[in-house]
Amino acid sequence: MDVSQLNPQVKAKKTKKKFDFEKWMKITGIFVSLLVFALLYTMPTPVHMTMQGKSALAIFGMVFVLWVSQAIPTYASALLGMVLLVFTGGWTQKETLAVFGRDVIWLMLSAFIITSGMEKSGFAKRMALFIVSKFGTTARKALIALGVVNVLLAFIIPSTTARAAMLLPITLMILQVYQAVPGESNFGKQLMLQEIHFNNISTSGILTATAPQILAVGYLQSMAGLDISWMEWFKASMPIAILTLIASMVIGNFLFKSEVTVPPGEEGEDSKDVNAALTKELKDLGPITKTEIKALVIFSLTIILWATDGIHLKLFGFQISLVMVAMLASCLFFLPYIGILDWKETKIPWNLMIFSCGAYAVGLALNDSGAASFLLNGVFERFDLASLSPFALYMIVMFISSFSHLVFTSKTVRVVILIPTLITLSQGLGLNPMVLTLPACFTICDTITLPPHCKPNLIFYSAGYFTVKDQFVYGVLVLLAKWLILGLAYFTWFRVVGIV
């Protein structure tokens, strides 16, 4: 048993230590962020970088420090970033404000409407109780069960965002069963962050699970004459993804030691009693209600439309985008006789929506201004690549490929810039392009370190269970573990499948 549970003084000291550290982070965060902004904004504009790019880079550096240190509320730093983009010329006012109309923002809004509908209907609770009582009788089993569901969905739903929107209501209800308090519960932090990891990293094992990977394979075919099949990608990448997800669970257990092992019950109840109580609670819900059936039909329609994305033109004669499917579902939840919601019953965290808009704007400005491309090219130019051993070159490229998502908010943009560069680099050095480029393709979905770096991150972050710092530290450690796994694969698995 944890000593702090027995000794209130120990617990009080830990709380005071945590408070002192957070207070120190907040105070220093403001000064460090201003210093970063001043240094980057006033430095001489490098050759090949525009003034717009320098402004965007300075603002990104400043808000990054503010997000990690939590010196000011994240929504305030996001708004500050948007204002500074316009004031400094990093982005135009029209482009900055247009972020509020981006598909990811409407998708998040729709996801919370769908979640509200599923919660009100009671079906999400029924599903959560079923998963917890059958497969998630302990916190660890719940983590594994939801992770496995996430991986299986990657085979049939080729969209990380759709899977995140689909799993959010179920995840939230499971956290309610475990009485996890947003921002305080370690179990809540690990479950939400692990869903981000399973969502993104499992995608890297399945070629068709996201469009940028297909684009990357297209570059390999057109520029290097290499044809990579679905099964070849799967055999090479899925073992890496599985090992990385195992590492993620181990690191998550270390960083966020769960405060619960089983769903909390009344005082004196053991785990069997709690499980029996959950089973009874599920049974007490009785037969499925008319309201639940309505919600289930809308939710099922949403999943079917997301899963059949590739054949919409054949079925309907037109394409229904991911966000339009989500908005259609939201509309159905509000319609008389069909839906079950009114506006007052929707639970939308507007402060987190504002943060998402600001974070997305800063990231997009970094891409559009050319600053991201400048940084990537600068990193490659600093190394004397021709003098390096093939393995050293491989490890440098894998590191850059994985962590380049810190400056690129778009997977597609990363592919467009990174993959042709690596193919050309390989050909110039006389190497087989597959050795560097295909493993680099397996890092396209390594966008797990900050909320604005991909849409699933924003969706799970908006639930309020973890901070930017939590995600950043956890994400960096997991990606370092993946980098080492890729290094090991160079001498082992990649030789078996013929990459090296």
Side-chain angles (χ1 to χ4, degrees):
M1 182 180 288
D2 190 348
V3 178
S4 64
Q5 291 178 329
L6 299 174
N7 190 343
Q9 290 181 340
V10 174
K11 189 174 181 180
K13 281 181 183 177
K14 285 185 177 180
T15 304
K16 185 176 184 298
K17 240 184 214 182
K18 182 181 177 184
F19 174 77
D20 289 342
F21 176 75
E22 289 178 350
K23 186 178 178 183
W24 178 82
M25 283 283 286
K26 287 182 177 180
I27 293 171
T28 57
I30 292 174
F31 290 108
V32 172
S33 67
L34 291 173
L35 180 62
V36 168
F37 176 79
L39 289 174
L40 291 174
Y41 189 70
T42 58
M43 72 177 181
T45 305
V47 178
H48 305 309
M49 179 185 271
T50 62
M51 183 62 196
Q52 179 191 14
K54 188 175 76 169
S55 298
L57 182 61
I59 294 165
F60 176 81
M62 181 191 72
V63 296
F64 176 78
V65 173
L66 291 174
W67 292 338
V68 173
S69 66
Q70 298 284 294
I72 62 176
T74 51
Y75 53 85
S77 59
L79 286 172
L80 177 62
M82 295 178 79
V83 170
L84 288 176
L85 281 175
V86 178
F87 284 2
T88 62
W91 227 20
T92 66
Q93 178 176 311
K94 183 178 180 181
E95 289 171 320
T96 303
L97 297 181
V99 170
F100 285 85
R102 291 267 177 172
D103 58 352
V104 63
I105 305 303
W106 282 98
L107 185 63
M108 288 174 59
L109 183 70
S110 299
F112 278 104
I113 293 171
I114 293 169
T115 298
S116 299
M118 294 296 288
E119 187 175 340
K120 182 191 175 182
S121 73
F123 183 75
K125 182 179 181 181
R126 185 186 294 273
M127 189 179 294
L129 285 171
F130 175 80
I131 292 172
V132 173
S133 62
K134 299 295 182 184
F135 310 107
T137 50
T138 67
R140 182 168 296 178
K141 286 180 180 178
L143 288 166
I144 294 171
L146 270 180
V148 170
V149 169
N150 208 327
V151 173
L152 293 176
L153 285 174
F155 285 90
I156 57 173
I157 300 178
S159 167
T160 54
T161 311
R163 297 198 298 275
M166 186 187 308
L167 287 171
L168 180 64
I170 298 169
T171 305
L172 288 173
M173 286 307 303
I174 288 176
L175 290 174
Q176 284 186 29
V177 170
Y178 276 87
Q179 298 177 21
V181 179
E184 297 179 15
S185 167
N186 275 348
F187 176 65
K189 290 179 181 180
Q190 186 179 0
L191 184 59
M192 281 292 184
L193 286 168
Q194 186 177 285
E195 283 304 289
I196 288 175
H197 292 188
F198 271 79
N199 188 305
N200 286 286
I201 293 170
S202 65
T203 297
S204 69
I206 304 164
L207 173 59
T208 52
T210 186
Q213 292 180 166
I214 300 171
L215 177 63
V217 168
Y219 277 121
L220 278 168
Q221 198 281 327
S222 60
M223 293 182 65
L226 298 171
D227 289 310
I228 308 297
S229 70
W230 189 96
M231 184 53 71
E232 285 171 335
W233 178 291
F234 181 80
K235 285 194 300 185
S237 184
M238 186 52 83
I240 306 300
I242 291 172
L243 288 174
T244 304
L245 292 174
I246 292 171
S248 171
M249 294 189 70
V250 172
I251 293 168
N253 287 333
F254 175 77
L255 289 178
F256 309 112
K257 188 172 178 57
S258 179
E259 72 281 5
V260 292
T261 53
V262 296
E266 299 297 328
E267 190 174 351
E269 285 186 316
D270 61 22
S271 61
K272 289 183 179 178
D273 293 331
V274 172
N275 188 45
L278 289 172
T279 304
K280 182 178 182 302
E281 188 176 351
L282 176 62
K283 189 176 179 181
D284 288 345
L285 291 177
I288 191 167
T289 65
K290 184 179 176 181
T291 301
E292 286 179 274
I293 291 172
K294 285 183 176 182
L296 178 58
V297 168
I298 296 171
F299 193 57
S300 299
L301 175 64
T302 307
I303 292 173
I304 291 168
L305 288 174
W306 278 336
T308 58
D309 175 76
I311 58 172
H312 284 178
L313 281 174
K314 190 182 292 185
L315 289 175
F316 311 118
F318 59 92
Q319 184 68 37
I320 308 175
S321 70
L322 175 70
V323 67
M324 282 297 112
V325 172
M327 290 180 70
L328 172 63
S330 301
C331 179
L332 292 175
F333 270 114
F334 286 127
L335 287 181
Y337 307 111
I338 297 174
I340 59 174
L341 278 178
D342 62 48
W343 184 252
K344 291 181 180 179
E345 293 170 317
T346 56
K347 299 175 182 177
I348 300 172
W350 290 106
N351 58 327
L352 297 170
M353 293 288 290
I354 293 294
F355 165 76
S356 301
C357 288
Y360 210 53
V362 173
L364 289 172
L366 199 66
N367 279 335
D368 293 353
S369 66
S373 301
F374 174 84
L375 290 174
L376 180 62
N377 292 332
V379 170
F380 277 121
E381 287 171 4
R382 285 191 175 276
F383 295 100
D384 183 10
L385 300 179
S387 65
L388 297 175
S389 68
F391 177 66
L393 175 61
Y394 168 87
M395 291 301 286
I396 290 171
V397 168
M398 291 309 103
F399 187 88
I400 293 171
S401 299
S402 181
F403 286 93
S404 62
H405 76 274
L406 288 169
V407 291
F408 294 100
T409 57
S410 166
K411 292 194 286 283
T412 303
V413 171
R414 283 175 68 211
V415 168
V416 169
I417 293 173
L418 191 64
I419 301 306
T421 301
L422 292 179
I423 293 172
T424 304
L425 173 68
S426 300
Q427 292 170 337
L429 295 174
L431 298 172
N432 181 353
M434 186 181 285
V435 176
L436 296 180
T437 312
L438 188 57
C441 292
F442 302 156
T443 69
I444 291 168
C445 290
D446 288 358
T447 49
I448 61 174
T449 53
L450 288 173
H453 285 153
C454 72
K455 296 169 188 176
N457 295 6
L458 288 172
I459 288 171
F460 284 109
Y461 176 80
S462 58
Y465 276 87
F466 59 89
T467 65
V468 176
K469 184 179 75 175
D470 293 332
Q471 182 178 358
F472 183 72
V473 172
Y474 189 12
V476 166
L477 291 176
V478 170
L479 291 185
L480 287 174
K482 181 176 180 178
W483 180 60
L484 294 176
I485 292 167
L486 283 167
L488 182 63
Y490 180 89
F491 294 106
T492 54
W493 184 242
F494 287 168
R495 296 184 185 272
V496 173
V497 296
I499 293 177
V500 179

